[in-house]
Amino acid sequence: MAMNLSAASNNADQQMPPASADFAMAWAFLEEGLDHIMTRLQKGISYSKYMCLSIVAYNYCTSSRTHHTVGFPAGASLRCSELYNKLIQYFIAHLEDLKEQSDFLQDEVLLRYYAGEWDRYTAGSKYINRLFPYLNCHWVKYERNEGRKAIYPVYTLALVLWKTNFFSHMQGNLASAILRLIERQRNGESIDQDLVKKVVDSFVSLGLDDTDINKASLDVYREHLEIPLLEDTERYYEQESKAFLAENSISDYLKKAEERLQEEEDRVDRYLNAETRKQLIGKCEHVLIRQHAELMWESFQTFLDNDRDEDLQRMYALLSRIPEGLEPLRKRFAEHVKKAGRIAVSNLVGEGVDGADGLVLQAYMNVLSDVHLKNSETVSRCFEGDAGFVASLDKACRDFVNAIGPSTIKAIQLVARYANSFEQE
């Protein structure tokens, strides 16, 4: 059944083909409208013109309802198929023109061209998609239900053709241009992050699942951008971390690693897909922390001995990000506590303690309490009250007390008695 537009008033609307128009006449009218939408959309299109285009498309698809087959009218199916194939040819021809203009572009110039054309193409394709509701909702749906998964709604078709006829022609150059911009940013330069995000988002949009067109797929993004990004990231930070440590202290390196990890977190937030976060940060943690963990572990005692709280805090935060990164620190911390206890008791014996045996034992307990308190504060300040460090502290104190034995206590008592007798003479 043909649709009529009662409010047709301008010249374009008056030239609308009749409902009985053959394909050549109908397509000539449609093609002129498609050209306007795809190349001059910024100039606008009247509502009446847009409705005329939709009516012509509908009329052509539905003008023949004879010779029904099971499930879909044969005549309508033939006409829909004819129109669908013509749309394919139209999009391909349009993309060929875009491809020719991109042949000699590189780096940021290429990204700007690609992003601009992507915006125009997707915006135009969405308008065109809405011109063909009958084609999308009836014929395409029927064809896909019959197992012909290479048939798509018009907007999805436009994306598929962009991918196969334009994106595939330059995907390597696009990815390389993005990676070079990321490296420049890592080197401290400012880049157009909105531009990078727009191109990256197009990679994501082109991930199409033939079996379920409503299901998001990151296959294109991962293959053409994420994998090379991870490889570049590993190579970049391996070189930088080695060079930095050759000329700077471990304390400075901890600050640098902390800053770099935060930068990569921000990078995901600003223009990469969120699904990249786990692998990208994991790669950075491996290179910046795991590969230099031995050096961090070896520096731990120096930081403890000199009460370098900020360094201890950074070391804890970094090593807590990798499996088993903290266990060597906990063991070293336990030995540190035991050593501090031994030194404290040794000092108590060496100095002598005035008073009765009970007071001597009290002094002994006070010294051990001071050791526990000092290191407990270190756990709270530097290790976020980590349960593993608390357990190491408690075990070290228990082991030390058990190892002291009565002979050491007796020595403290004898020293005290000797000191008292000396004072009485």
PDB file of all heavy atoms in Angstrom, residues 126-145:
ATOM      1  N   LYS A 126      23.037   6.966   9.886  1.00  0.00           N
ATOM      2  CA  LYS A 126      21.918   6.856  10.827  1.00  0.00           C
ATOM      3  C   LYS A 126      20.650   7.474  10.243  1.00  0.00           C
ATOM      4  O   LYS A 126      19.547   6.931  10.404  1.00  0.00           O
ATOM      5  CB  LYS A 126      22.281   7.533  12.150  1.00  0.00           C
ATOM      6  CG  LYS A 126      23.302   6.749  12.962  1.00  0.00           C
ATOM      7  CD  LYS A 126      23.744   7.505  14.213  1.00  0.00           C
ATOM      8  CE  LYS A 126      24.803   6.717  14.977  1.00  0.00           C
ATOM      9  NZ  LYS A 126      25.315   7.473  16.152  1.00  0.00           N
ATOM     10  N   TYR A 127      20.803   8.608   9.555  1.00  0.00           N
ATOM     11  CA  TYR A 127      19.645   9.212   8.894  1.00  0.00           C
ATOM     12  C   TYR A 127      19.127   8.299   7.784  1.00  0.00           C
ATOM     13  O   TYR A 127      17.916   8.116   7.619  1.00  0.00           O
ATOM     14  CB  TYR A 127      20.019  10.577   8.310  1.00  0.00           C
ATOM     15  CG  TYR A 127      19.932  11.710   9.301  1.00  0.00           C
ATOM     16  CD1 TYR A 127      21.065  12.157   9.970  1.00  0.00           C
ATOM     17  CD2 TYR A 127      18.718  12.334   9.565  1.00  0.00           C
ATOM     18  CE1 TYR A 127      20.995  13.199  10.883  1.00  0.00           C
ATOM     19  CE2 TYR A 127      18.635  13.381  10.474  1.00  0.00           C
ATOM     20  CZ  TYR A 127      19.780  13.805  11.137  1.00  0.00           C
ATOM     21  OH  TYR A 127      19.699  14.832  12.048  1.00  0.00           O
ATOM     22  N   ILE A 128      20.038   7.741   7.018  1.00  0.00           N
ATOM     23  CA  ILE A 128      19.632   6.849   5.927  1.00  0.00           C
ATOM     24  C   ILE A 128      18.954   5.602   6.483  1.00  0.00           C
ATOM     25  O   ILE A 128      17.963   5.115   5.929  1.00  0.00           O
ATOM     26  CB  ILE A 128      20.854   6.482   5.062  1.00  0.00           C
ATOM     27  CG1 ILE A 128      21.320   7.717   4.279  1.00  0.00           C
ATOM     28  CG2 ILE A 128      20.537   5.330   4.113  1.00  0.00           C
ATOM     29  CD1 ILE A 128      22.595   7.508   3.490  1.00  0.00           C
ATOM     30  N   ASN A 129      19.474   5.089   7.569  1.00  0.00           N
ATOM     31  CA  ASN A 129      18.887   3.897   8.186  1.00  0.00           C
ATOM     32  C   ASN A 129      17.406   4.103   8.493  1.00  0.00           C
ATOM     33  O   ASN A 129      16.579   3.205   8.291  1.00  0.00           O
ATOM     34  CB  ASN A 129      19.652   3.573   9.471  1.00  0.00           C
ATOM     35  CG  ASN A 129      19.119   2.350  10.183  1.00  0.00           C
ATOM     36  OD1 ASN A 129      19.214   1.234   9.683  1.00  0.00           O
ATOM     37  ND2 ASN A 129      18.549   2.552  11.363  1.00  0.00           N
ATOM     38  N   ARG A 130      17.067   5.312   8.956  1.00  0.00           N
ATOM     39  CA  ARG A 130      15.672   5.586   9.321  1.00  0.00           C
ATOM     40  C   ARG A 130      14.775   5.797   8.103  1.00  0.00           C
ATOM     41  O   ARG A 130      13.547   5.869   8.243  1.00  0.00           O
ATOM     42  CB  ARG A 130      15.614   6.803  10.246  1.00  0.00           C
ATOM     43  CG  ARG A 130      16.220   6.535  11.624  1.00  0.00           C
ATOM     44  CD  ARG A 130      15.879   7.637  12.610  1.00  0.00           C
ATOM     45  NE  ARG A 130      16.598   8.865  12.340  1.00  0.00           N
ATOM     46  CZ  ARG A 130      17.793   9.165  12.853  1.00  0.00           C
ATOM     47  NH1 ARG A 130      18.402   8.300  13.650  1.00  0.00           N
ATOM     48  NH2 ARG A 130      18.375  10.316  12.566  1.00  0.00           N
ATOM     49  N   LEU A 131      15.372   5.877   6.920  1.00  0.00           N
ATOM     50  CA  LEU A 131      14.561   5.980   5.700  1.00  0.00           C
ATOM     51  C   LEU A 131      13.978   4.632   5.280  1.00  0.00           C
ATOM     52  O   LEU A 131      13.074   4.583   4.443  1.00  0.00           O
ATOM     53  CB  LEU A 131      15.416   6.515   4.542  1.00  0.00           C
ATOM     54  CG  LEU A 131      15.879   7.966   4.617  1.00  0.00           C
ATOM     55  CD1 LEU A 131      16.786   8.278   3.432  1.00  0.00           C
ATOM     56  CD2 LEU A 131      14.689   8.918   4.650  1.00  0.00           C
ATOM     57  N   PHE A 132      14.500   3.553   5.841  1.00  0.00           N
ATOM     58  CA  PHE A 132      14.127   2.219   5.368  1.00  0.00           C
ATOM     59  C   PHE A 132      13.572   1.344   6.492  1.00  0.00           C
ATOM     60  O   PHE A 132      14.080   0.245   6.743  1.00  0.00           O
ATOM     61  CB  PHE A 132      15.344   1.544   4.731  1.00  0.00           C
ATOM     62  CG  PHE A 132      15.909   2.291   3.561  1.00  0.00           C
ATOM     63  CD1 PHE A 132      16.965   3.178   3.724  1.00  0.00           C
ATOM     64  CD2 PHE A 132      15.362   2.128   2.296  1.00  0.00           C
ATOM     65  CE1 PHE A 132      17.484   3.878   2.645  1.00  0.00           C
ATOM     66  CE2 PHE A 132      15.875   2.821   1.205  1.00  0.00           C
ATOM     67  CZ  PHE A 132      16.933   3.705   1.379  1.00  0.00           C
ATOM     68  N   PRO A 133      12.519   1.782   7.180  1.00  0.00           N
ATOM     69  CA  PRO A 133      11.978   0.973   8.282  1.00  0.00           C
ATOM     70  C   PRO A 133      11.398  -0.359   7.804  1.00  0.00           C
ATOM     71  O   PRO A 133      11.543  -1.379   8.482  1.00  0.00           O
ATOM     72  CB  PRO A 133      10.903   1.872   8.901  1.00  0.00           C
ATOM     73  CG  PRO A 133      10.518   2.813   7.804  1.00  0.00           C
ATOM     74  CD  PRO A 133      11.774   3.045   7.027  1.00  0.00           C
ATOM     75  N   TYR A 134      10.735  -0.351   6.642  1.00  0.00           N
ATOM     76  CA  TYR A 134      10.162  -1.609   6.150  1.00  0.00           C
ATOM     77  C   TYR A 134      11.274  -2.591   5.794  1.00  0.00           C
ATOM     78  O   TYR A 134      11.219  -3.777   6.144  1.00  0.00           O
ATOM     79  CB  TYR A 134       9.283  -1.353   4.921  1.00  0.00           C
ATOM     80  CG  TYR A 134       8.624  -2.615   4.409  1.00  0.00           C
ATOM     81  CD1 TYR A 134       7.415  -3.054   4.945  1.00  0.00           C
ATOM     82  CD2 TYR A 134       9.222  -3.381   3.411  1.00  0.00           C
ATOM     83  CE1 TYR A 134       6.815  -4.229   4.499  1.00  0.00           C
ATOM     84  CE2 TYR A 134       8.643  -4.555   2.961  1.00  0.00           C
ATOM     85  CZ  TYR A 134       7.437  -4.977   3.509  1.00  0.00           C
ATOM     86  OH  TYR A 134       6.861  -6.145   3.077  1.00  0.00           O
ATOM     87  N   LEU A 135      12.287  -2.105   5.116  1.00  0.00           N
ATOM     88  CA  LEU A 135      13.410  -2.963   4.733  1.00  0.00           C
ATOM     89  C   LEU A 135      14.058  -3.581   5.971  1.00  0.00           C
ATOM     90  O   LEU A 135      14.325  -4.788   6.019  1.00  0.00           O
ATOM     91  CB  LEU A 135      14.437  -2.134   3.957  1.00  0.00           C
ATOM     92  CG  LEU A 135      15.584  -2.896   3.286  1.00  0.00           C
ATOM     93  CD1 LEU A 135      15.072  -3.683   2.090  1.00  0.00           C
ATOM     94  CD2 LEU A 135      16.678  -1.918   2.849  1.00  0.00           C
ATOM     95  N   ASN A 136      14.303  -2.754   6.988  1.00  0.00           N
ATOM     96  CA  ASN A 136      14.971  -3.231   8.201  1.00  0.00           C
ATOM     97  C   ASN A 136      14.100  -4.178   9.023  1.00  0.00           C
ATOM     98  O   ASN A 136      14.547  -5.243   9.458  1.00  0.00           O
ATOM     99  CB  ASN A 136      15.373  -2.043   9.086  1.00  0.00           C
ATOM    100  CG  ASN A 136      16.568  -1.283   8.543  1.00  0.00           C
ATOM    101  OD1 ASN A 136      17.402  -1.842   7.835  1.00  0.00           O
ATOM    102  ND2 ASN A 136      16.650   0.002   8.863  1.00  0.00           N
ATOM    103  N   CYS A 137      12.868  -3.761   9.259  1.00  0.00           N
ATOM    104  CA  CYS A 137      12.020  -4.480  10.224  1.00  0.00           C
ATOM    105  C   CYS A 137      11.357  -5.723   9.647  1.00  0.00           C
ATOM    106  O   CYS A 137      10.924  -6.595  10.410  1.00  0.00           O
ATOM    107  CB  CYS A 137      10.947  -3.540  10.774  1.00  0.00           C
ATOM    108  SG  CYS A 137      11.623  -2.150  11.691  1.00  0.00           S
ATOM    109  N   HIS A 138      11.270  -5.800   8.332  1.00  0.00           N
ATOM    110  CA  HIS A 138      10.576  -6.938   7.732  1.00  0.00           C
ATOM    111  C   HIS A 138      11.519  -7.815   6.907  1.00  0.00           C
ATOM    112  O   HIS A 138      11.752  -8.975   7.240  1.00  0.00           O
ATOM    113  CB  HIS A 138       9.397  -6.444   6.891  1.00  0.00           C
ATOM    114  CG  HIS A 138       8.354  -5.744   7.697  1.00  0.00           C
ATOM    115  ND1 HIS A 138       7.402  -6.413   8.428  1.00  0.00           N
ATOM    116  CD2 HIS A 138       8.145  -4.417   7.915  1.00  0.00           C
ATOM    117  CE1 HIS A 138       6.627  -5.543   9.057  1.00  0.00           C
ATOM    118  NE2 HIS A 138       7.059  -4.319   8.767  1.00  0.00           N
ATOM    119  N   TRP A 139      12.048  -7.238   5.834  1.00  0.00           N
ATOM    120  CA  TRP A 139      12.861  -8.077   4.942  1.00  0.00           C
ATOM    121  C   TRP A 139      14.166  -8.521   5.600  1.00  0.00           C
ATOM    122  O   TRP A 139      14.503  -9.710   5.580  1.00  0.00           O
ATOM    123  CB  TRP A 139      13.152  -7.320   3.645  1.00  0.00           C
ATOM    124  CG  TRP A 139      13.941  -8.149   2.668  1.00  0.00           C
ATOM    125  CD1 TRP A 139      13.466  -9.167   1.893  1.00  0.00           C
ATOM    126  CD2 TRP A 139      15.340  -8.038   2.390  1.00  0.00           C
ATOM    127  NE1 TRP A 139      14.482  -9.705   1.135  1.00  0.00           N
ATOM    128  CE2 TRP A 139      15.648  -9.034   1.424  1.00  0.00           C
ATOM    129  CE3 TRP A 139      16.350  -7.213   2.849  1.00  0.00           C
ATOM    130  CZ2 TRP A 139      16.933  -9.206   0.920  1.00  0.00           C
ATOM    131  CZ3 TRP A 139      17.627  -7.381   2.347  1.00  0.00           C
ATOM    132  CH2 TRP A 139      17.915  -8.368   1.397  1.00  0.00           C
ATOM    133  N   VAL A 140      14.931  -7.584   6.192  1.00  0.00           N
ATOM    134  CA  VAL A 140      16.203  -7.949   6.829  1.00  0.00           C
ATOM    135  C   VAL A 140      15.960  -8.937   7.968  1.00  0.00           C
ATOM    136  O   VAL A 140      16.682  -9.942   8.102  1.00  0.00           O
ATOM    137  CB  VAL A 140      16.937  -6.694   7.357  1.00  0.00           C
ATOM    138  CG1 VAL A 140      18.125  -7.094   8.234  1.00  0.00           C
ATOM    139  CG2 VAL A 140      17.409  -5.827   6.194  1.00  0.00           C
ATOM    140  N   LYS A 141      14.957  -8.673   8.766  1.00  0.00           N
ATOM    141  CA  LYS A 141      14.650  -9.574   9.881  1.00  0.00           C
ATOM    142  C   LYS A 141      14.319 -10.973   9.377  1.00  0.00           C
ATOM    143  O   LYS A 141      14.785 -11.983   9.927  1.00  0.00           O
ATOM    144  CB  LYS A 141      13.482  -9.008  10.685  1.00  0.00           C
ATOM    145  CG  LYS A 141      13.107  -9.850  11.895  1.00  0.00           C
ATOM    146  CD  LYS A 141      11.958  -9.208  12.665  1.00  0.00           C
ATOM    147  CE  LYS A 141      11.579 -10.064  13.873  1.00  0.00           C
ATOM    148  NZ  LYS A 141      10.442  -9.450  14.621  1.00  0.00           N
ATOM    149  N   TYR A 142      13.508 -11.039   8.313  1.00  0.00           N
ATOM    150  CA  TYR A 142      13.140 -12.337   7.750  1.00  0.00           C
ATOM    151  C   TYR A 142      14.373 -13.069   7.216  1.00  0.00           C
ATOM    152  O   TYR A 142      14.566 -14.265   7.479  1.00  0.00           O
ATOM    153  CB  TYR A 142      12.114 -12.140   6.631  1.00  0.00           C
ATOM    154  CG  TYR A 142      11.786 -13.417   5.895  1.00  0.00           C
ATOM    155  CD1 TYR A 142      10.918 -14.355   6.449  1.00  0.00           C
ATOM    156  CD2 TYR A 142      12.353 -13.684   4.649  1.00  0.00           C
ATOM    157  CE1 TYR A 142      10.629 -15.535   5.787  1.00  0.00           C
ATOM    158  CE2 TYR A 142      12.073 -14.861   3.981  1.00  0.00           C
ATOM    159  CZ  TYR A 142      11.208 -15.789   4.548  1.00  0.00           C
ATOM    160  OH  TYR A 142      10.925 -16.962   3.887  1.00  0.00           O
ATOM    161  N   GLU A 143      15.210 -12.363   6.470  1.00  0.00           N
ATOM    162  CA  GLU A 143      16.399 -12.985   5.891  1.00  0.00           C
ATOM    163  C   GLU A 143      17.333 -13.524   6.975  1.00  0.00           C
ATOM    164  O   GLU A 143      17.870 -14.627   6.863  1.00  0.00           O
ATOM    165  CB  GLU A 143      17.144 -11.970   5.016  1.00  0.00           C
ATOM    166  CG  GLU A 143      16.406 -11.554   3.755  1.00  0.00           C
ATOM    167  CD  GLU A 143      16.282 -12.692   2.757  1.00  0.00           C
ATOM    168  OE1 GLU A 143      17.318 -13.300   2.423  1.00  0.00           O
ATOM    169  OE2 GLU A 143      15.150 -12.984   2.320  1.00  0.00           O
ATOM    170  N   ARG A 144      17.522 -12.766   8.023  1.00  0.00           N
ATOM    171  CA  ARG A 144      18.409 -13.213   9.100  1.00  0.00           C
ATOM    172  C   ARG A 144      17.810 -14.400   9.848  1.00  0.00           C
ATOM    173  O   ARG A 144      18.527 -15.322  10.245  1.00  0.00           O
ATOM    174  CB  ARG A 144      18.701 -12.054  10.060  1.00  0.00           C
ATOM    175  CG  ARG A 144      19.595 -10.978   9.442  1.00  0.00           C
ATOM    176  CD  ARG A 144      19.987  -9.911  10.454  1.00  0.00           C
ATOM    177  NE  ARG A 144      20.804 -10.464  11.528  1.00  0.00           N
ATOM    178  CZ  ARG A 144      22.115 -10.670  11.452  1.00  0.00           C
ATOM    179  NH1 ARG A 144      22.778 -10.383  10.329  1.00  0.00           N
ATOM    180  NH2 ARG A 144      22.779 -11.174  12.469  1.00  0.00           N
ATOM    181  N   ASN A 145      16.507 -14.374  10.030  1.00  0.00           N
ATOM    182  CA  ASN A 145      15.853 -15.516  10.680  1.00  0.00           C
ATOM    183  C   ASN A 145      15.976 -16.785   9.846  1.00  0.00           C
ATOM    184  O   ASN A 145      15.960 -17.898  10.388  1.00  0.00           O
ATOM    185  CB  ASN A 145      14.379 -15.209  10.938  1.00  0.00           C
ATOM    186  CG  ASN A 145      14.186 -14.209  12.064  1.00  0.00           C
ATOM    187  OD1 ASN A 145      15.082 -14.005  12.886  1.00  0.00           O
ATOM    188  ND2 ASN A 145      13.023 -13.578  12.104  1.00  0.00           N
TER     189      ASN A 145
END
